[in-house]
Amino acid sequence: MSVETCDKNLRPLRVGDVLKVYHYTAALRRKKHYMYKHITRTQWLGGYGGRPKVLYFFVSHLNLKPEIESGDGGYFLGMHEGIQSRYEIVQCLTSDFEDRPKVKMEV
């Protein structure tokens, strides 16, 4: 079984989290640039050709537009993808993300 998706600090991702996602490093002065994303919901995907359905997070851009209007409203991220080293939780609905138990990695 794979490990649940977590940020670089091993905190599990949940619906309602705001994520800081590494975007690129500028050539001049080597400054890192980030994007901010919001996990808005979960959705079952797959189930075609005998494959089982899998639960995904929907990660939305912070443009405050409905998914239908924006065209590129976001993307899906698997719920069991392991450590996402370019992701960091910066805010959540209940302000308890720092107290969440860290994900234990299987060796």
Side-chain angles (χ1 to χ4, degrees):
M1 175 122 187
S2 58
V3 178
E4 67 181 307
T5 303
C6 58
D7 71 353
K8 68 180 186 179
N9 298 312
L10 299 178
R11 294 186 199 114
L13 303 183
R14 300 285 181 258
V15 172
D17 289 347
V18 175
L19 307 173
K20 181 170 89 170
V21 182
Y22 172 79
H23 187 49
Y24 68 95
T25 302
L28 184 64
R29 296 187 187 94
R30 307 301 297 161
K31 181 181 176 188
K32 291 184 178 180
H33 293 265
Y34 297 90
M35 300 178 290
Y36 291 86
K37 308 288 183 181
H38 185 221
I39 299 176
T40 56
R41 62 184 168 84
T42 59
Q43 183 172 335
W44 289 97
L45 297 175
Y48 305 107
R51 295 185 180 141
K53 286 189 171 189
V54 180
L55 195 57
Y56 285 84
F57 289 117
F58 183 77
V59 182
S60 172
H61 308 302
L62 288 177
N63 56 10
L64 303 176
K65 293 181 183 176
E67 293 172 32
I68 298 169
E69 290 179 16
S70 63
D72 67 340
Y75 57 92
F76 291 99
L77 177 65
M79 292 184 75
H80 295 281
E81 300 288 325
I83 300 172
Q84 299 296 312
S85 61
R86 294 176 176 225
Y87 289 61
E88 181 180 9
I89 301 170
V90 293
Q91 188 177 9
C92 73
L93 294 175
T94 58
S95 72
D96 69 341
F97 70 92
E98 293 176 343
D99 298 330
R100 288 182 195 165
K102 293 190 175 189
V103 174
K104 295 189 184 344
M105 300 306 299
E106 299 171 6
V107 181

